[in-house]
Amino acid sequence: MASHFLSSQFFLLLTIILHCTTTTVAQSLAPAPGPPGPTNITKILEKAGQFTTLLRLFDITKVGDQINTQLNNSKQGMTVFAPTDNAFSSLSAGTLNSLSDQQKDELVQFHVIPTFISMSQFQTVSNPLRTQAGDSAPYKFPLDITTSGNQVNLTTGVVSTTVANAIYTDGSLAVYQVDKVLLPMSLFGPPAPATAPAPESGKDKKEGGDDGGQSPSGSANSSDAVDLRGELHGLMVGVIAFIAVFCL
């Protein structure tokens, strides 16, 4: 009986050892997880959903590829304001179709900032914020950001909106949902006021004085003509008097 008990215990111990060994070997043979792939803005927006129009513009303008390239070759990071499909639907009919390829590129670039900005960092940004569209001067591509508590407000000079939520952030890329398309002044704002004419130079004023001086000169010439006529009249009177005396 004791021998049978020992055999059973030995068999159980052997089974446990074999199981542990098999598990350890299996774990050692399993491939180690690879490093995460490069950041891809397109995949992020596809996973989030409701950004079909923005993705189409990314593809048309190649801005999506540009963002991915910059993200994986620069340490500055990037920030993207992503308008939803509803935001694009609220635009006037034909708005996007009326834009040239260059204008579409400028519109999309206006939604991209070439640095990473966290929600808390919005409180310290300097306005106007420079986007990848370029010139942030008035009537060009100015973007102003203000905060009120945890709310982030965006103003382009044409539209104002707020950041709805953070779709993605990893310390390198931040993607924020906005419920309005950010319309830049350069494309959708009123025309810039006409430039005031330049003041007259000293030379122009001098030339103007010379022109004005012609009038006195003309008056002098007119006076000379009157004197000449007076002299001729006197001469004629003298001649007539001489003839009258001679004939008598």
Side-chain angles (χ1 to χ4, degrees):
M1 180 67 68
S3 176
H4 177 71
F5 176 77
L6 291 175
S7 298
S8 300
Q9 293 298 317
F10 177 77
F11 179 76
L12 179 61
L13 180 61
L14 181 61
T15 301
I16 293 174
I17 293 173
L18 289 174
H19 175 74
C20 293
T21 304
T22 302
T23 302
T24 303
V25 171
Q27 290 177 344
S28 64
L29 293 177
T39 305
N40 189 303
I41 183 65
T42 301
K43 292 182 178 179
I44 291 171
L45 293 176
E46 287 176 346
K47 183 178 180 180
Q50 67 178 336
F51 296 102
T52 304
T53 304
L54 181 59
L55 285 168
R56 179 166 59 84
L57 287 172
F58 273 176
D59 181 57
I60 292 173
T61 61
K62 305 305 179 185
V63 172
D65 294 338
Q66 177 186 337
I67 292 174
N68 292 332
T69 299
Q70 287 184 238
L71 279 173
N72 296 292
N73 291 280
S74 172
K75 295 182 180 180
Q76 291 185 328
M78 304 195 78
T79 301
V80 177
F81 296 113
T84 61
D85 290 334
N86 288 335
F88 281 103
S89 297
S90 66
L91 296 175
S92 300
T95 297
L96 293 181
N97 291 334
S98 67
L99 300 178
S100 66
D101 289 343
Q102 178 180 347
Q103 290 172 329
K104 289 177 182 177
D105 182 78
E106 291 173 341
L107 175 62
V108 177
Q109 298 277 17
F110 189 56
H111 291 73
V112 182
I113 300 173
T115 55
F116 172 81
I117 304 177
S118 66
M119 288 293 288
S120 62
Q121 288 174 327
F122 281 123
Q123 299 180 10
T124 59
V125 296
S126 299
N127 289 317
L129 192 64
R130 187 175 181 83
T131 69
Q132 291 218 144
D135 197 340
S136 58
Y139 297 95
K140 292 296 184 179
F141 297 93
L143 178 62
D144 290 339
I145 295 182
T146 58
T147 57
S148 177
N150 294 326
Q151 179 175 296
V152 178
N153 309 303
L154 310 177
T155 302
T156 72
V158 180
V159 298
S160 297
T161 188
T162 60
V163 171
N165 62 73
I167 300 170
Y168 178 88
T169 179
D170 62 1
S172 177
L173 171 66
V175 183
Y176 299 106
Q177 175 185 327
V178 291
D179 294 330
K180 287 185 180 180
V181 180
L182 303 181
L183 303 178
M185 290 282 288
S186 177
L187 301 180
F188 299 95
T195 304
E200 293 184 2
S201 66
K203 180 179 179 181
D204 294 336
K205 292 181 180 179
K206 183 177 180 181
E207 290 176 350
D210 292 342
D211 292 339
Q214 291 178 359
S215 178
S217 175
S219 298
N221 293 336
S222 177
S223 178
D224 292 342
V226 171
D227 293 342
L228 180 59
R229 285 197 297 271
E231 292 176 359
L232 289 175
H233 177 72
L235 180 61
M236 289 298 295
V237 171
V239 171
I240 293 172
F242 174 78
I243 295 173
V245 173
F246 180 78
C247 292
L248 292 175

